[in-house]
Amino acid sequence: MAIKIEMLRCFCITAQTGNLAEAADRLGRTQSAVSMTLKQLEDHLGKKLFEGERKSKLSPLGEQVLELASKQIRQFDDAVHGIEAAAEASHGLIRIVSVPSVAALIFPQVLEHMTRRFPGLKMELRDTDSQQVLDALAEGKAEIGIASGFHPLNGVRALPLLEDRFGLVCAADHPLNTRAEPPEISDVVTGSFVRNALCELIQTPRFLSAIEAADVTIQNTHSLITMIRTGKWVTVLPETVAQFIPETTAFRPISDLHDKRQVFLYVREKSRYAELTEECSTFILSRPFD
């Protein structure tokens, strides 16, 4: 008996919920059908995936299978989605993945331009971190990507898009924003400093040594800004972010921090819709980011 994707899906949902009743409800199947599927998988493997009969605790093998199976299910679902989207896209399909700060600036313009030029065009726009942008390009899940930093990828062109300086982001009424003299690194990186993923792009030694002591790290930009708005925390972000942060927050240059973030446009060289990809990437490159 071969292991089927639905067997893995059944196992993963059961492992996530911890009980057969909830798993059956989510899968749209009966408890007995779910139980039988799990037994078939365990019989094939020759080992138990759960400790006991209640399905609330995984065996050591079950933990390994959950990690591997979850990844395969995501890849399978992505592939199915891509196949269905391509089948529906009789007028073409463009998939763009971008870091959030740039996505907020270009997605509305790109969507308007491309759908006006090519009626019936299907577009998928997604914002995520730079690593996932690169993964999407490498795995063929996107034709165009926008990411921080230069990262060579086989079969993908990397074109400079913009650069913006790093600076303090804090509540508008925070003392570091309202005082006359500009803040320095030593003023910003204190006990109330929140580290974020983009801080890794900064190379100034004084800043790097200072953030080693940071106790709080937040990767999600929305959650980060929510923390900053309380007035109790500060962070460092590229200036582009200041164009879409709430009015109750502010961006301010740091006098002894001169690093700039380099943002690149990544374009797959081989695309089913090469003409559309080229038109879209050319339009993005022509946009002013000031």
Side-chain angles (χ1 to χ4, degrees):
M1 179 197 70
I3 296 178
K4 300 183 174 79
I5 192 70
E6 291 310 314
M7 296 174 68
L8 297 179
R9 191 186 304 278
C10 181
F11 165 70
C12 288
I13 295 297
T14 303
Q16 291 165 7
T17 59
N19 67 82
L20 286 175
E22 179 66 24
D25 184 60
R26 287 180 56 181
L27 291 164
R29 303 175 65 182
T30 64
Q31 289 189 49
S32 59
V34 172
S35 180
M36 182 178 296
T37 299
L38 294 174
K39 185 177 185 307
Q40 289 175 339
L41 181 57
E42 289 182 326
D43 287 346
H44 175 78
L45 296 173
K47 292 185 178 180
K48 292 290 185 180
L49 296 172
F50 297 91
E51 293 186 358
E53 298 300 321
R54 299 187 62 181
K55 314 302 182 189
S56 58
K57 185 177 181 180
L58 290 170
S59 68
L61 174 62
E63 292 178 354
Q64 295 180 55
V65 173
L66 177 60
E67 180 180 354
L68 295 169
S70 296
K71 182 178 180 179
Q72 290 303 313
I73 290 170
R74 285 194 298 271
Q75 292 179 343
F76 176 81
D77 289 344
D78 287 344
V80 170
H81 176 74
I83 292 169
E84 292 174 344
E88 294 174 2
S90 57
H91 298 281
L93 170 67
I94 294 292
R95 299 167 296 178
I96 307 175
V97 187
S98 171
V99 290
S101 57
V102 183
L105 298 176
I106 70 155
F107 278 0
Q109 300 176 50
V110 170
L111 183 60
E112 180 181 0
H113 173 78
M114 293 299 293
T115 54
R116 184 177 66 249
R117 285 286 310 275
F118 305 97
L121 170 67
K122 298 285 187 181
M123 296 195 69
E124 293 184 8
L125 309 175
R126 179 163 60 96
D127 62 86
T128 186
D129 61 65
S130 288
Q131 185 57 56
Q132 292 191 51
V133 169
L134 300 173
D135 290 344
L137 289 162
E139 295 168 10
K141 297 177 181 177
E143 287 70 49
I144 295 174
I146 299 173
S148 299
F150 174 70
H151 311 275
L153 289 175
N154 188 32
V156 178
R157 284 182 291 154
L159 307 167
L161 182 61
L162 67 93
E163 64 176 21
D164 54 349
R165 60 183 173 178
F166 283 92
L168 165 71
V169 174
C170 61
D173 58 356
H174 193 281
L176 289 178
N177 186 52
T178 57
R179 75 184 196 181
E181 65 276 14
E184 297 180 353
I185 292 174
S186 58
D187 300 318
V188 174
V189 186
T190 63
S192 61
F193 177 77
V194 180
R195 188 171 179 168
N196 63 78
L198 291 176
C199 290
E200 307 304 323
L201 300 175
I202 297 175
Q203 298 299 313
T204 298
R206 190 183 306 109
F207 179 83
L208 293 176
S209 61
I211 65 172
E212 289 181 358
D215 295 325
V216 181
T217 300
I218 299 179
Q219 306 291 358
N220 180 272
T221 303
H222 178 75
S223 299
L224 177 64
I225 297 300
T226 299
M227 286 277 288
I228 300 307
R229 291 176 64 186
T230 66
K232 299 179 181 179
W233 305 89
V234 303
T235 194
V236 169
L237 286 169
E239 189 172 11
T240 303
V241 178
Q243 298 187 41
F244 68 90
I245 60 178
E247 293 183 359
T248 53
T249 55
F251 174 91
R252 192 174 190 191
I254 299 171
S255 62
D256 54 346
L257 183 64
H258 306 294
D259 291 75
K260 292 184 177 180
R261 173 182 64 157
Q262 307 290 326
V263 177
F264 282 78
L265 176 70
Y266 293 86
V267 183
R268 286 185 61 85
E269 294 176 346
K270 293 183 179 180
S271 169
R272 178 182 175 187
Y273 303 104
E275 180 182 354
L276 296 173
T277 300
E278 190 64 27
E279 169 70 24
C280 188
S281 59
T282 299
F283 176 78
I284 293 172
L285 287 169
S286 71
R287 295 302 85 201
F289 290 93
D290 297 331

